[in-house]
Amino acid sequence: MYSSMRTFSETEKEFIAEHLHQHPSELMLQAKRYPDLPMLELVQQIQARQKAAGKLPSWVANPDVVFPVTLSVEQSSSEATAAFKASLVSGKLLVDLTGGFGVDSLYFAKRFEQVVHVEQNQELQEIAKYNFGLLGADNVHSINTTAQQFLESFESIADVIYLDPARRGGRDEKVHLLEDCEPDILRLLPQLLRKAHTVILKTSPMLDIDLAVEQLGTVAQVWVVALQNECKEVLYFISRAATGEAERHAVNLLASGGMQQLTFTKSQEDQAKVTFADPEAFVYEPNTAILKAGGYRSIAAKYNLHKLHPNSHLYTSSTYVADFPGRAFRCSGTSRYNKKELLPLLPQKKANITVRNFPESVAEIRKKTGIKEGGEVYLFFTTDMHQKPVVLVCRKATA
């Protein structure tokens, strides 16, 4: 990457736009054809824009936006999740203590009078600052320093301090435990709570929520955010004023712009009454946000569904629940896990396979049965209320 942040000439921006869909390695092989262009830098911009196309469409659409190395793009929030996060808070001052590429800061700036963007990597901070100006975020003040150094010199009280700690270890391996992230949120937390009314911590979806709530202490809310049924982030709202149990909000942002949401507490989940049944006419699979948040009993109680097994997290009903927050299927019957019994049910020898509370993986099942991926049939390999393995034969349900 270039040694310091720079902008690009009109000729260079035109080259980026013209070759946006070309493979970066192919472009580098053609570098001698463009002796007057800084090919490495331009190809890196193209590669970053390709990586960002799905998650940052308005940034990619702006030819003047400068992108950092692809890792920083990969680690940034998407526009959809950043906008949702920002919708949860508002006020006078928010400090984004791990600002990075600045996507979250940009959306927070729409909800706060002032946002301070803190980033320790000078080049990344300069890129973010330049883009803030391009994108009209005049109320963002960008600072090149570490989170710890900023906190030591910060003498005000922010409405919100937001952190998304780096989740890569010393050997660049991915980590998810709070104590392994940088900065160390557990060590900084007392100081953070002295300098903000609310601290919002974004963590890896891999981190156990019960463990995190126990370690963090005064957690008021937990937001599990999925985008089109892919769990993207978990947010902890921490406050000295928090009392009682943390509310858990499972949110799935839909492609249509709408969302599915389930809210409950750990006690409500534990006390929810659940009944069990054999598969009925309809089978349901909750979205990933609900599964991550642990709303296994709450979802059954809210929608008056039966569970198939305490640990299967598949649900059933005799009548169709149109607004179920997840996938709904019409169940045509069940089968034993037997190749000779399954294949006659699949004329094209294809099916979409899901495993829930079953001893074998999807790959192992496909290898043993020869069932290829695809088609309109959905097979759920699971365990029923009688502790027996069973295969549910389904198709997607419609109203």
Side-chain angles (χ1 to χ4, degrees):
M1 192 69 177
Y2 33 83
S3 59
S4 61
M5 188 265 161
R6 55 156 285 183
T7 57
F8 294 89
S9 68
E10 291 303 316
T11 299
E12 291 167 343
K13 285 186 283 189
E14 287 174 6
F15 180 90
I16 292 171
E18 290 172 3
H19 297 84
L20 191 56
H21 302 293
Q22 194 167 342
H23 198 283
S25 61
E26 293 178 358
L27 281 173
M28 286 307 302
L29 290 173
Q30 301 169 13
K32 290 183 179 180
R33 293 173 53 189
Y34 308 97
D36 298 327
L37 292 176
M39 283 297 289
L40 178 59
E41 296 173 11
L42 298 183
V43 170
Q44 286 172 334
Q45 286 294 305
I46 289 168
Q47 187 174 23
R49 284 174 176 270
Q50 290 173 348
K51 291 278 187 181
K55 66 192 302 187
L56 302 172
S58 66
W59 296 56
V60 173
N62 189 324
D64 297 323
V65 165
V66 176
F67 283 82
V69 293
T70 54
L71 179 60
S72 297
V73 174
E74 291 169 359
Q75 292 177 338
S76 73
S77 297
S78 67
E79 290 189 63
T81 57
F84 174 76
K85 224 175 355 227
S87 74
L88 302 177
V89 287
S90 62
K92 292 185 176 180
L93 174 62
L94 178 141
V95 177
D96 186 346
L97 210 51
T98 51
F101 188 32
V103 177
D104 287 322
S105 289
L106 180 74
Y107 280 88
F108 283 133
K110 302 175 188 293
R111 304 278 298 172
F112 286 81
E113 293 179 15
Q114 184 182 6
V115 169
V116 178
H117 167 269
V118 180
E119 173 51 47
Q120 64 180 354
N121 181 294
Q122 182 178 358
E123 182 184 355
L124 188 55
Q125 181 266 331
E126 289 176 353
I127 290 173
K129 182 178 180 179
Y130 173 77
N131 289 335
F132 290 144
L134 277 179
L135 300 169
D138 299 328
N139 58 333
V140 179
H141 178 53
S142 185
I143 301 175
N144 174 220
T145 188
T146 66
Q148 293 90 332
Q149 289 171 339
F150 176 84
L151 285 175
E152 289 170 5
S153 61
F154 182 61
E155 297 180 353
S156 301
I157 302 293
D159 293 299
V160 175
I161 292 180
Y162 171 74
L163 296 93
D164 178 8
R167 295 186 287 274
R168 287 187 179 269
R171 297 181 180 179
D172 204 36
E173 75 277 15
K174 290 185 179 181
V175 298
H176 60 269
L177 294 177
L178 294 178
E179 54 267 33
D180 294 334
C181 297
E182 177 61 37
D184 185 343
I185 180 67
L186 297 178
R187 183 176 62 81
L188 286 180
L189 191 55
Q191 188 178 15
L192 291 166
L193 289 172
R194 289 194 299 270
K195 300 201 174 186
H197 297 301
T198 300
V199 175
I200 300 177
L201 172 67
K202 173 182 170 180
T203 71
S204 163
M206 297 296 294
L207 179 63
D208 180 79
I209 291 177
D210 290 339
L211 173 63
V213 169
E214 180 182 350
Q215 288 183 305
L216 294 169
T218 53
V219 177
Q221 300 178 69
V222 180
W223 290 82
V224 181
V225 183
L227 179 61
Q228 296 178 45
N229 205 31
E230 183 179 349
C231 193
K232 292 295 186 180
E233 52 193 60
V234 182
L235 307 169
Y236 297 83
F237 283 59
I238 311 161
S239 169
R240 286 174 294 174
T243 57
E245 275 191 278
E247 281 192 326
R248 299 191 184 191
H249 306 271
V251 174
N252 181 35
L253 306 177
L254 304 174
S256 63
M259 71 177 185
Q260 301 166 331
Q261 182 171 339
L262 179 71
T263 296
F264 59 95
T265 66
K266 184 69 163 58
S267 293
Q268 289 170 342
E269 167 66 17
D270 293 340
Q271 295 166 12
K273 294 182 179 179
V274 176
T275 56
F276 297 88
D278 290 319
E280 297 182 333
F282 296 93
V283 169
Y284 307 87
E285 181 187 38
N287 65 50
T288 58
I290 292 170
L291 294 175
K292 174 59 189 177
Y296 313 123
R297 299 171 66 88
S298 299
I299 191 68
K302 180 172 181 178
Y303 290 93
N304 195 28
L305 302 172
H306 306 295
K307 288 199 76 178
L308 298 185
H309 183 279
N311 300 322
S312 292
H313 309 321
L314 290 171
Y315 304 79
T316 192
S317 69
S318 58
T319 57
Y320 181 50
V321 179
D323 60 343
F324 180 78
R327 299 197 297 172
F329 302 86
R330 183 178 289 276
C331 184
S332 60
T334 62
S335 169
R336 292 178 299 169
Y337 179 24
N338 181 294
K339 181 177 179 179
K340 291 183 179 180
E341 192 169 325
L342 279 171
L343 289 182
L345 302 174
L346 307 169
Q348 296 180 323
K349 303 297 184 286
K350 289 182 178 181
N352 304 279
I353 296 177
T354 297
V355 169
R356 293 281 182 206
N357 189 27
F358 197 78
E360 294 187 17
S361 69
V362 173
E364 290 171 329
I365 292 169
R366 290 197 185 282
K367 184 177 181 180
K368 286 185 177 180
T369 62
I371 298 172
K372 297 178 181 179
E373 187 173 357
E376 297 181 353
V377 177
Y378 290 76
L379 299 179
F380 288 88
F381 289 71
T382 188
T383 301
D384 66 15
M385 61 182 290
H386 310 290
Q387 308 297 328
K388 294 181 179 179
V390 65
V391 183
L392 313 183
V393 183
C394 305
R395 292 176 183 264
K396 282 194 172 180
T398 55

Short mmCIF file of all heavy atoms in Angstrom, two decimals, residues 205 209 224-234 250-253 260 285-296 324-327 356:
data_model
loop_
_atom_site.label_atom_id
_atom_site.label_comp_id
_atom_site.label_asym_id
_atom_site.label_seq_id
_atom_site.Cartn_x
_atom_site.Cartn_y
_atom_site.Cartn_z
N PRO A 205 -19.59 -12.45 17.22
CA PRO A 205 -20.75 -13.32 17.46
C PRO A 205 -20.37 -14.64 18.10
O PRO A 205 -21.24 -15.34 18.61
CB PRO A 205 -21.32 -13.53 16.04
CG PRO A 205 -20.86 -12.34 15.26
CD PRO A 205 -19.49 -12.04 15.80
N ILE A 209 -22.69 -15.11 25.22
CA ILE A 209 -23.38 -13.94 25.78
C ILE A 209 -23.44 -14.01 27.30
O ILE A 209 -23.20 -13.01 27.98
CB ILE A 209 -24.79 -13.81 25.17
CG1 ILE A 209 -24.68 -13.43 23.69
CG2 ILE A 209 -25.61 -12.76 25.92
CD1 ILE A 209 -26.01 -13.34 22.96
N VAL A 224 -28.38 -8.56 19.48
CA VAL A 224 -27.80 -9.50 18.52
C VAL A 224 -28.34 -9.11 17.15
O VAL A 224 -29.55 -9.16 16.93
CB VAL A 224 -28.16 -10.95 18.85
CG1 VAL A 224 -27.52 -11.90 17.84
CG2 VAL A 224 -27.71 -11.30 20.27
N VAL A 225 -27.44 -8.73 16.24
CA VAL A 225 -27.86 -8.18 14.95
C VAL A 225 -27.44 -9.11 13.82
O VAL A 225 -26.25 -9.39 13.63
CB VAL A 225 -27.26 -6.78 14.73
CG1 VAL A 225 -27.78 -6.18 13.41
CG2 VAL A 225 -27.60 -5.86 15.90
N ALA A 226 -28.44 -9.58 13.08
CA ALA A 226 -28.19 -10.39 11.88
C ALA A 226 -28.61 -9.57 10.67
O ALA A 226 -29.52 -8.74 10.74
CB ALA A 226 -28.97 -11.69 11.94
N LEU A 227 -27.94 -9.80 9.56
CA LEU A 227 -28.27 -9.15 8.30
C LEU A 227 -28.64 -10.24 7.30
O LEU A 227 -27.79 -11.06 6.94
CB LEU A 227 -27.08 -8.32 7.79
CG LEU A 227 -27.26 -7.59 6.46
CD1 LEU A 227 -28.40 -6.59 6.52
CD2 LEU A 227 -25.96 -6.90 6.05
N GLN A 228 -29.91 -10.26 6.91
CA GLN A 228 -30.42 -11.29 5.99
C GLN A 228 -30.05 -12.69 6.49
O GLN A 228 -29.53 -13.52 5.76
CB GLN A 228 -29.92 -11.03 4.58
CG GLN A 228 -30.44 -9.72 4.00
CD GLN A 228 -29.91 -9.42 2.62
OE1 GLN A 228 -29.88 -10.31 1.77
NE2 GLN A 228 -29.48 -8.19 2.38
N ASN A 229 -30.30 -12.88 7.77
CA ASN A 229 -30.14 -14.16 8.47
C ASN A 229 -28.68 -14.60 8.63
O ASN A 229 -28.40 -15.77 8.87
CB ASN A 229 -30.93 -15.28 7.77
CG ASN A 229 -31.29 -16.40 8.73
OD1 ASN A 229 -31.49 -16.17 9.91
ND2 ASN A 229 -31.35 -17.61 8.24
N GLU A 230 -27.75 -13.66 8.54
CA GLU A 230 -26.35 -13.95 8.87
C GLU A 230 -25.97 -13.09 10.07
O GLU A 230 -25.99 -11.87 9.98
CB GLU A 230 -25.44 -13.65 7.69
CG GLU A 230 -23.99 -14.00 7.96
CD GLU A 230 -23.08 -13.73 6.78
OE1 GLU A 230 -23.59 -13.46 5.67
OE2 GLU A 230 -21.84 -13.78 6.97
N CYS A 231 -25.63 -13.73 11.17
CA CYS A 231 -25.31 -13.00 12.40
C CYS A 231 -24.03 -12.19 12.20
O CYS A 231 -22.97 -12.75 11.89
CB CYS A 231 -25.16 -13.97 13.56
SG CYS A 231 -25.15 -13.14 15.16
N LYS A 232 -24.13 -10.87 12.38
CA LYS A 232 -23.00 -9.98 12.10
C LYS A 232 -22.31 -9.45 13.34
O LYS A 232 -21.09 -9.34 13.38
CB LYS A 232 -23.49 -8.80 11.25
CG LYS A 232 -23.91 -9.18 9.84
CD LYS A 232 -22.73 -9.69 9.04
CE LYS A 232 -23.11 -9.93 7.59
NZ LYS A 232 -21.96 -10.43 6.80
N GLU A 233 -23.08 -9.07 14.36
CA GLU A 233 -22.45 -8.49 15.53
C GLU A 233 -23.35 -8.60 16.75
O GLU A 233 -24.57 -8.76 16.64
CB GLU A 233 -22.09 -7.03 15.28
CG GLU A 233 -23.21 -6.16 14.75
CD GLU A 233 -22.69 -4.83 14.23
OE1 GLU A 233 -21.86 -4.82 13.29
OE2 GLU A 233 -23.12 -3.80 14.76
N VAL A 234 -22.71 -8.54 17.91
CA VAL A 234 -23.43 -8.51 19.18
C VAL A 234 -23.00 -7.25 19.92
O VAL A 234 -21.80 -6.98 20.05
CB VAL A 234 -23.14 -9.76 20.02
CG1 VAL A 234 -23.94 -9.72 21.33
CG2 VAL A 234 -23.48 -11.03 19.25
N ALA A 250 -33.06 -9.74 19.79
CA ALA A 250 -32.59 -10.47 18.60
C ALA A 250 -33.21 -9.81 17.38
O ALA A 250 -34.43 -9.80 17.22
CB ALA A 250 -32.99 -11.93 18.68
N VAL A 251 -32.35 -9.25 16.51
CA VAL A 251 -32.83 -8.48 15.36
C VAL A 251 -32.26 -9.07 14.08
O VAL A 251 -31.05 -9.30 13.98
CB VAL A 251 -32.41 -7.00 15.47
CG1 VAL A 251 -32.77 -6.24 14.21
CG2 VAL A 251 -33.06 -6.36 16.69
N ASN A 252 -33.13 -9.30 13.10
CA ASN A 252 -32.71 -9.74 11.78
C ASN A 252 -33.13 -8.68 10.77
O ASN A 252 -34.32 -8.45 10.56
CB ASN A 252 -33.35 -11.09 11.44
CG ASN A 252 -32.92 -11.61 10.08
OD1 ASN A 252 -31.78 -11.41 9.65
ND2 ASN A 252 -33.82 -12.28 9.39
N LEU A 253 -32.15 -8.00 10.16
CA LEU A 253 -32.42 -6.97 9.17
C LEU A 253 -32.68 -7.63 7.82
O LEU A 253 -31.86 -8.41 7.34
CB LEU A 253 -31.24 -6.01 9.08
CG LEU A 253 -30.79 -5.36 10.40
CD1 LEU A 253 -29.56 -4.49 10.18
CD2 LEU A 253 -31.92 -4.54 11.01
N GLN A 260 -37.02 -8.29 11.68
CA GLN A 260 -37.68 -9.19 12.62
C GLN A 260 -37.03 -8.99 13.97
O GLN A 260 -35.80 -8.85 14.06
CB GLN A 260 -37.51 -10.65 12.17
CG GLN A 260 -38.06 -10.95 10.80
CD GLN A 260 -37.59 -12.28 10.24
OE1 GLN A 260 -36.49 -12.74 10.57
NE2 GLN A 260 -38.39 -12.89 9.39
N GLU A 285 -37.83 -22.77 11.50
CA GLU A 285 -36.44 -22.61 11.94
C GLU A 285 -36.21 -21.14 12.24
O GLU A 285 -36.30 -20.30 11.34
CB GLU A 285 -35.48 -23.07 10.84
CG GLU A 285 -34.01 -22.94 11.23
CD GLU A 285 -33.07 -23.24 10.07
OE1 GLU A 285 -33.39 -22.84 8.92
OE2 GLU A 285 -32.04 -23.86 10.31
N PRO A 286 -35.93 -20.76 13.51
CA PRO A 286 -35.74 -19.35 13.86
C PRO A 286 -34.55 -18.73 13.13
O PRO A 286 -33.62 -19.45 12.73
CB PRO A 286 -35.48 -19.39 15.37
CG PRO A 286 -36.00 -20.70 15.83
CD PRO A 286 -35.81 -21.64 14.68
N ASN A 287 -34.57 -17.42 12.96
CA ASN A 287 -33.42 -16.77 12.34
C ASN A 287 -32.20 -16.85 13.26
O ASN A 287 -32.30 -17.16 14.45
CB ASN A 287 -33.75 -15.32 11.94
CG ASN A 287 -34.04 -14.42 13.13
OD1 ASN A 287 -33.29 -14.36 14.09
ND2 ASN A 287 -35.14 -13.68 13.05
N THR A 288 -31.04 -16.58 12.69
CA THR A 288 -29.79 -16.78 13.43
C THR A 288 -29.65 -15.84 14.63
O THR A 288 -28.98 -16.19 15.59
CB THR A 288 -28.59 -16.57 12.50
OG1 THR A 288 -28.64 -15.26 11.92
CG2 THR A 288 -28.57 -17.61 11.39
N ALA A 289 -30.26 -14.66 14.58
CA ALA A 289 -30.17 -13.74 15.72
C ALA A 289 -30.87 -14.34 16.94
O ALA A 289 -30.36 -14.24 18.07
CB ALA A 289 -30.78 -12.39 15.35
N ILE A 290 -32.02 -14.94 16.74
CA ILE A 290 -32.74 -15.56 17.85
C ILE A 290 -31.96 -16.74 18.42
O ILE A 290 -31.85 -16.91 19.64
CB ILE A 290 -34.14 -16.02 17.39
CG1 ILE A 290 -35.01 -14.79 17.07
CG2 ILE A 290 -34.82 -16.89 18.44
CD1 ILE A 290 -36.31 -15.11 16.39
N LEU A 291 -31.38 -17.55 17.54
CA LEU A 291 -30.59 -18.68 18.01
C LEU A 291 -29.37 -18.22 18.78
O LEU A 291 -29.03 -18.79 19.83
CB LEU A 291 -30.18 -19.55 16.81
CG LEU A 291 -31.33 -20.24 16.07
CD1 LEU A 291 -30.82 -20.96 14.83
CD2 LEU A 291 -32.07 -21.22 16.99
N LYS A 292 -28.68 -17.18 18.30
CA LYS A 292 -27.51 -16.67 19.00
C LYS A 292 -27.89 -16.05 20.34
O LYS A 292 -27.19 -16.23 21.34
CB LYS A 292 -26.78 -15.64 18.13
CG LYS A 292 -25.62 -14.94 18.85
CD LYS A 292 -24.57 -15.93 19.34
CE LYS A 292 -23.55 -15.25 20.24
NZ LYS A 292 -22.56 -16.21 20.79
N ALA A 293 -29.01 -15.34 20.38
CA ALA A 293 -29.44 -14.70 21.62
C ALA A 293 -29.94 -15.71 22.64
O ALA A 293 -30.05 -15.40 23.83
CB ALA A 293 -30.54 -13.68 21.31
N GLY A 294 -30.24 -16.93 22.20
CA GLY A 294 -30.68 -17.97 23.12
C GLY A 294 -32.17 -17.93 23.42
O GLY A 294 -32.59 -18.38 24.49
N GLY A 295 -32.98 -17.44 22.46
CA GLY A 295 -34.42 -17.36 22.69
C GLY A 295 -35.16 -18.61 22.28
O GLY A 295 -36.24 -18.53 21.67
N TYR A 296 -34.66 -19.76 22.67
CA TYR A 296 -35.21 -21.04 22.20
C TYR A 296 -36.63 -21.30 22.73
O TYR A 296 -37.48 -21.79 21.99
CB TYR A 296 -34.31 -22.20 22.62
CG TYR A 296 -32.84 -21.98 22.34
CD1 TYR A 296 -31.90 -22.05 23.37
CD2 TYR A 296 -32.39 -21.71 21.06
CE1 TYR A 296 -30.55 -21.87 23.12
CE2 TYR A 296 -31.04 -21.52 20.80
CZ TYR A 296 -30.13 -21.59 21.85
OH TYR A 296 -28.80 -21.40 21.61
N PHE A 324 -43.76 -15.63 11.42
CA PHE A 324 -42.67 -16.24 12.19
C PHE A 324 -41.33 -15.64 11.76
O PHE A 324 -41.03 -15.53 10.57
CB PHE A 324 -42.65 -17.76 11.97
CG PHE A 324 -41.56 -18.45 12.74
CD1 PHE A 324 -41.69 -18.70 14.08
CD2 PHE A 324 -40.37 -18.81 12.11
CE1 PHE A 324 -40.67 -19.31 14.80
CE2 PHE A 324 -39.35 -19.42 12.81
CZ PHE A 324 -39.50 -19.68 14.16
N PRO A 325 -40.49 -15.24 12.73
CA PRO A 325 -39.20 -14.61 12.40
C PRO A 325 -38.11 -15.63 12.06
O PRO A 325 -37.21 -15.90 12.85
CB PRO A 325 -38.86 -13.82 13.68
CG PRO A 325 -39.50 -14.62 14.77
CD PRO A 325 -40.75 -15.20 14.18
N GLY A 326 -38.22 -16.18 10.89
CA GLY A 326 -37.27 -17.19 10.45
C GLY A 326 -37.81 -17.86 9.21
O GLY A 326 -38.59 -17.27 8.45
N ARG A 327 -37.43 -19.09 9.00
CA ARG A 327 -37.89 -19.84 7.81
C ARG A 327 -39.05 -20.75 8.20
O ARG A 327 -39.01 -21.39 9.26
CB ARG A 327 -36.75 -20.65 7.21
CG ARG A 327 -35.56 -19.81 6.74
CD ARG A 327 -34.66 -20.58 5.80
NE ARG A 327 -34.05 -21.75 6.45
CZ ARG A 327 -33.33 -22.67 5.79
NH1 ARG A 327 -33.16 -22.56 4.48
NH2 ARG A 327 -32.80 -23.68 6.44
N ARG A 356 -29.72 -30.19 12.74
CA ARG A 356 -30.02 -29.62 14.06
C ARG A 356 -30.07 -30.74 15.09
O ARG A 356 -30.94 -31.61 15.01
CB ARG A 356 -31.38 -28.88 14.05
CG ARG A 356 -31.42 -27.63 13.20
CD ARG A 356 -30.77 -26.47 13.93
NE ARG A 356 -30.84 -25.25 13.14
CZ ARG A 356 -30.00 -24.24 13.26
NH1 ARG A 356 -29.02 -24.33 14.13
NH2 ARG A 356 -30.12 -23.17 12.52
#
